[in-house]
Amino acid sequence: IFTINPSIHPDSSSMASLTTASNKAYLVIINKANGLRAADTLGSSDPYVKMTCPAAPACIDETTQVIQSNLNPVWGQCYLVALPPTIPPVIKFTVFDSDKGTFYNGSDDFLGQTGLNLSDCISEDVNIWHSNNLTLGGDKARGTLNVLVKAYSDPVVTIKSAAKLRNADGFFGKSDPYAKLCGLSAPQMVWGETKTVRDNLNPTWESDNVFTISLLSNMPMGGSLLPFKIEVWDEDDKKRSKSDDPLGMVKVPWTSLFADPHAPPLTPMKLTDRGAKAGSTLTISCAMPPPPSQAQSQANIANIGRALFKTAISPPTSPSSSSHAALPVNPSFRVSKTACKAQLSKGLGFKIADCTDNIADEYTMGLAWDVTNGVDIDLDASCVWLDSKLQPIDTVWFQKLKSRDGAMKHGGDEREGDEEGDDESIMFDLERVSPLATYLCFCINSYSGQLLSNVASAKCHLYNSNTLNEIASFDLTGNGQLNSTALLMCILYRAGNNEWFMYAVGESADGRTVQDNVDEFQDFLTKHPLAQISTQREQQMNHGTNGSGNKVAKIKVPASTGPNNTVGFKLPSGASEQVTLPTNAKEGDTVEVPLIDVFIA
């Protein structure tokens, strides 16, 4: 259970920030194992590691990748472990042999188990990595597990120079390079960009080149870290755009990003990947200030709150006090899943059952758009149905208002985008959807053939057709640079045990009608096989949680709330969750809220 203190966002919708992990955060690298038992008949194993916290199972439940056919596997996976101060940071590591080799089906063989108190690993020099060789115990266990631990503080990255870059401008000059810092919490996360150095294949950045990576603020509940990448780009036409040319990138090792203070300076790193020229390099430096004391940490949270939400959050009056001491052990109220709404961004998905107690069958997908400069554009919302092999089996659009099985109905054509609320709606009964259908793909088309650059905003939201309870929304407001005639908005799909999911696509496309976008949805799903990804993910989660159910959070009711008595808070994926509070909940009351499992795919 996590505790959340809400604050009011300037846009008047109430936002909440997690504060529990502030003074108890660690970096943990599940590094490698040696001498594991051979559990397979061919004399090897396909090992993976589960990391849990026995004192708070809902807080930590992580699984490494499977390394196939290896008794001395190397994972090198880094995790941010963030725990409330009242939870002892004792972590259990369990090694299994995956029978399937790629995912986990519940019958995997036990290879050994060990544990570690993270606080015991932190010496007076909190800035250094502590290597722990742990002996695996349990029935038939053999071998050791190596785990690296370090106290967390925000790393500081300085982009210094690059050398021997590719000339992406040909005969017309030299590349105009800039660097971009990406990854860690989400693939699309950008932590900062340098200035552009004009006409230079050996650029040096001397100002605005130092970046603090505030990872804990972005991942307050912790989790598995993605690679940290620094990309180098050539800026085209003196402004940054999608047409910029890649010049290569580097992946910064965990122990270099979260560097020991006594570590030697980083040598120039070889640029690789798209656009990298042989021999081109990037030089950076990384530093990691000492973690703040508890009082400093709470004061930092207050500063973050003031900066983000323009409202004061008072730190504790003494270093020995805890921000959680005033919160009741038991919540004053509990809300059901129907009070929760997923606010998605591009590239995120969730299971519809996470926002419904009794799975409803009848839903509406409302789509809306606004245009600029008084331009009238005939836009249409449509849906194409694809089977498991991505073959089209039906379409619903303004020239065909019903699906063949009668499960989906279009609300009709709205030609000018000036309706209040939803411009067009598509209703459907999931129970009646043909069993042949795996994907329901929703898009917006410019039937008049005009570019969507005049569209100021595009959004969709899913709600229960009978109760009008909103379940999820995806907002592309402010996009404004769509040089296309269509937009692939979102996909509903079924996976696992016939569970329905929603995924936010947000990709530009071309086509006046939905038929023109069938191949683009097929291409997208070939690259992102959502049904397979979610089925595998459900199997992994069932294996890891043994059906223990959703995680929950505790929200402290703020002085004022958003419209309809709502508050919101960020999830680790980068999405937001909005919760409707009980009408009789007062300021200072604690409300227990189910957490929506929003994932990146």
Side-chain angles (χ1 to χ4, degrees):
I1 294 177
F2 306 95
T3 305
I4 298 173
N5 288 326
S7 298
I8 307 304
H9 193 275
D11 67 2
S12 81
S13 65
S14 180
M15 292 297 292
S17 59
L18 286 165
T19 63
T20 58
S22 58
N23 54 3
K24 214 171 194 180
Y26 305 86
L27 294 162
V28 176
I29 297 179
I30 299 179
N31 189 26
K32 61 184 179 179
N34 285 295
L36 296 179
R37 177 174 65 89
D40 295 340
T41 55
L42 297 179
S44 190
S45 290
D46 305 315
Y48 66 95
V49 181
K50 275 188 63 64
M51 180 174 69
T52 57
C53 178
C59 289
I60 301 175
D61 187 1
E62 301 288 349
T63 305
T64 68
Q65 69 184 79
V66 175
I67 305 294
Q68 297 190 23
S69 302
N70 200 321
L71 300 182
N72 300 288
V74 177
W75 294 282
Q77 177 59 52
C78 189
Y79 300 89
L80 175 62
V81 173
L83 291 168
T86 55
I87 302 297
V90 177
I91 306 299
K92 182 171 73 173
F93 303 93
T94 309
V95 186
F96 291 96
D97 164 53
S98 173
D99 287 345
K100 291 294 183 181
T102 54
F103 60 89
Y104 332 109
N105 67 354
S107 64
D108 298 340
D109 296 308
F110 174 83
L111 296 180
Q113 182 174 284
T114 188
L116 187 63
N117 188 324
L118 302 184
S119 62
D120 291 345
C121 301
I122 308 303
S123 65
E124 292 183 1
D125 192 350
V126 295
N127 258 20
I128 69 170
W129 283 100
H130 298 264
S131 180
N132 303 271
N133 288 311
L134 308 173
T135 301
L136 295 172
D139 185 39
K140 300 180 182 179
R142 284 183 52 192
T144 59
L145 180 68
N146 179 253
V147 177
L148 306 180
V149 179
K150 183 177 186 179
Y152 175 82
S153 63
D154 292 339
V156 178
V157 179
T158 302
I159 310 297
K160 294 186 173 182
S161 63
K164 300 180 181 179
L165 297 178
R166 178 175 65 90
N167 185 7
D169 292 344
F171 296 108
F172 303 101
K174 297 179 181 178
S175 295
D176 304 310
Y178 66 94
K180 182 189 299 186
L181 293 76
C182 312
L184 284 181
S185 59
Q188 67 270 32
M189 182 66 187
V190 177
W191 298 97
E193 298 180 1
T194 66
K195 291 182 177 179
T196 300
V197 179
R198 300 290 174 195
D199 294 317
N200 201 320
L201 302 183
N202 299 281
T204 297
W205 289 278
E206 297 180 344
S207 63
D208 297 325
N209 62 332
V210 180
F211 303 89
T212 298
I213 311 299
S214 301
L215 182 61
L216 189 58
S217 298
N218 193 262
M219 297 178 65
M221 290 187 287
S224 178
L225 301 186
L226 299 174
F228 181 66
K229 301 186 295 184
I230 302 176
E231 302 172 349
V232 183
W233 293 83
D234 166 49
E235 181 182 290
D236 284 341
D237 302 323
K238 297 187 177 180
K239 62 179 181 180
R240 297 181 185 181
S241 68
K242 292 182 179 179
S243 66
D244 290 351
D245 298 306
L247 300 177
M249 68 94 177
V250 298
K251 288 184 180 180
V252 183
W254 308 120
T255 52
S256 297
L257 174 62
F258 305 106
D260 286 348
H262 312 300
L266 291 177
T267 58
M269 304 177 73
K270 181 180 177 182
L271 287 164
T272 61
D273 208 52
R274 290 189 308 142
K277 177 184 175 182
S280 60
T281 60
L282 180 70
T283 300
I284 67 170
S285 67
C286 301
M288 200 169 176
S293 66
Q294 179 170 326
Q296 290 172 325
S297 180
Q298 296 297 326
N300 289 344
I301 291 172
N303 292 333
I304 292 171
R306 294 184 185 99
L308 292 179
F309 308 118
K310 295 187 169 84
T311 183
I313 305 172
S314 300
T317 56
S318 67
S320 61
S321 65
S322 166
S323 61
H324 308 286
L327 295 180
V329 174
N330 296 314
S332 307
F333 300 92
R334 288 183 174 88
V335 299
S336 68
K337 292 188 288 183
T338 58
C340 304
K341 167 190 166 183
Q343 295 177 307
L344 302 177
S345 55
K346 179 178 177 178
L348 299 178
F350 81 107
K351 183 164 62 176
I352 292 174
D354 279 358
C355 296
T356 54
D357 283 329
N358 298 312
I359 307 301
D361 298 318
E362 297 179 359
Y363 292 96
T364 298
M365 182 67 74
L367 297 104
W369 48 82
D370 293 303
V371 297
T372 59
N373 304 321
V375 178
D376 291 336
I377 307 178
D378 184 7
L379 298 179
D380 301 301
S382 308
C383 183
V384 58
W385 297 24
L386 302 178
D387 64 16
S388 61
K389 297 182 179 179
L390 306 185
Q391 295 305 304
I393 59 175
D394 207 348
T395 54
V396 174
W397 56 308
F398 75 90
Q399 291 189 2
K400 183 178 177 295
L401 297 179
K402 270 189 179 181
S403 60
R404 295 189 185 96
D405 60 10
M408 180 175 284
K409 180 181 178 181
H410 198 294
D413 186 20
E414 200 291 312
R415 297 196 172 188
E416 295 184 354
D418 55 4
E419 290 292 319
E420 292 295 325
D422 295 333
D423 289 298
E424 294 188 5
S425 299
I426 300 176
M427 292 73 72
F428 46 92
D429 186 338
L430 290 179
E431 186 177 12
R432 295 173 57 197
V433 169
S434 167
L436 297 176
T438 298
Y439 298 101
L440 308 179
C441 308
F442 295 84
C443 62
I444 295 173
N445 298 90
S446 171
Y447 186 71
S448 55
Q450 292 166 276
L451 294 179
L452 299 183
S453 55
N454 286 313
V455 175
S457 66
K459 60 190 76 174
C460 64
H461 66 129
L462 179 70
Y463 60 92
N464 185 306
S465 300
N466 298 314
T467 67
L468 304 185
N469 182 54
E470 195 171 31
I471 294 165
S473 63
F474 172 38
D475 192 345
L476 283 174
T477 300
N479 192 301
Q481 297 182 0
L482 293 172
N483 190 29
S484 62
T485 55
L487 185 61
L488 311 184
M489 283 296 293
C490 66
I491 299 174
L492 263 62
Y493 63 98
R494 59 174 128 207
N497 189 23
N498 203 33
E499 299 269 15
W500 282 94
F501 296 76
M502 178 177 173
Y503 181 83
V505 180
E507 295 280 349
S508 59
D510 287 299
R512 296 175 59 243
T513 68
V514 65
Q515 286 95 334
D516 298 325
N517 298 132
V518 172
D519 61 335
E520 291 173 303
F521 274 119
Q522 290 171 327
D523 290 344
F524 179 85
L525 288 166
T526 299
K527 297 175 183 176
H528 307 273
L530 298 177
Q532 293 93 317
I533 291 171
S534 290
T535 296
Q536 180 173 328
R537 192 170 182 274
E538 288 288 294
Q539 291 169 333
Q540 293 175 358
M541 291 177 66
N542 290 337
H543 173 81
T545 63
N546 295 318
S548 61
N550 288 359
K551 297 178 181 179
V552 296
K554 286 183 180 179
I555 292 179
K556 191 173 182 181
V557 178
S560 60
T561 59
N564 301 316
N565 206 31
T566 57
V567 295
F569 54 91
K570 284 287 186 183
L571 297 167
S573 59
S576 296
E577 179 171 339
Q578 180 177 294
V579 179
T580 301
L581 299 176
T583 55
N584 55 339
K586 307 182 300 297
E587 179 185 356
D589 285 343
T590 305
V591 181
E592 189 172 281
V593 176
L595 288 177
I596 303 171
D597 178 33
V598 179
F599 56 86
I600 302 167

